[in-house]
Amino acid sequence: MTDTQRLAALPSDSKQLLKQICADFPQCFSEEASEVRPIALGTRELLLAHYQAAWGEAVPNLTVMLKEALKAYTHSVAYAQASVLGASRITLRGDVEGAVDEGSAKFGRYLCRKDRRKQAKAARREIPQQRQPQKKASTTQQPPAVVMSATKPKRAKLSLKKVSKCDE
């Protein structure tokens, strides 16, 4: 690969970087939700060293982009569902290294609950929109509406003198 081809393939944002990571390390990262597995601790530092060696200073803000890409990956619902207590963590080469601890499993459950609440809220927003009756375009001629007078009818005023006469 020539230098111009290598520079053309450089990611410009964290989404592109995540796609690049999935392509470079398919044993550890996957774009398919059913194939997502928990990654080993310390993976970010290994990825940073790998891409700094490959790209040097060609990618500005590589550290920030890598943090954002891994946050998007590890905060996904698929990753949260894979992060159950005791599940194997996978290295960049696909080897098993460690297991998911109670704190990580608890965070995964939290993300799943948060996603369910978000979906329920979206469903509740859709229901009122579906209940609103649709206005039908009428093809028949409707009679003209009756116009009421713009003036209000006057009310009779009672005075205290009239009320006292009624009591007698």
Side-chain angles (χ1 to χ4, degrees), residues 6 46-57 62:
R6 184 176 64 84
L46 295 173
L47 287 171
L48 184 60
H50 171 80
Y51 287 120
Q52 281 179 337
W55 297 328
E57 297 298 319
L62 178 62

Side-chain angles (χ1 to χ4, degrees), residues 110 112-124:
Y110 163 76
C112 288
R113 281 193 309 271
K114 185 177 174 182
D115 183 63
R116 282 193 298 270
R117 284 192 298 260
K118 184 179 176 182
Q119 289 177 355
K121 188 175 181 179
R124 283 192 302 268

Side-chain angles (χ1 to χ4, degrees), residues 61-142:
N61 301 322
L62 178 62
T63 306
V64 174
M65 284 181 14
L66 185 59
K67 270 185 170 180
E68 290 173 356
L70 289 177
K71 183 177 180 180
Y73 188 79
T74 58
H75 283 68
S76 69
V77 175
Y79 190 88
Q81 290 172 343
S83 297
V84 295
L85 183 63
S88 300
R89 290 187 176 275
I90 307 300
T91 64
L92 293 176
R93 287 182 267 134
D95 301 328
V96 174
E97 182 180 291
V100 175
D101 61 354
E102 179 61 35
S104 298
K106 186 176 180 180
F107 185 69
R109 289 190 302 269
Y110 163 76
L111 288 177
C112 288
R113 281 193 309 271
K114 185 177 174 182
D115 183 63
R116 282 193 298 270
R117 284 192 298 260
K118 184 179 176 182
Q119 289 177 355
K121 188 175 181 179
R124 283 192 302 268
R125 265 191 244 126
E126 290 176 7
I127 290 172
Q129 292 174 356
Q130 293 172 356
R131 288 183 186 167
Q132 292 177 351
Q134 299 290 332
K135 293 184 178 180
K136 296 180 182 178
S138 178
T139 56
T140 61
Q141 188 74 9
Q142 293 183 354

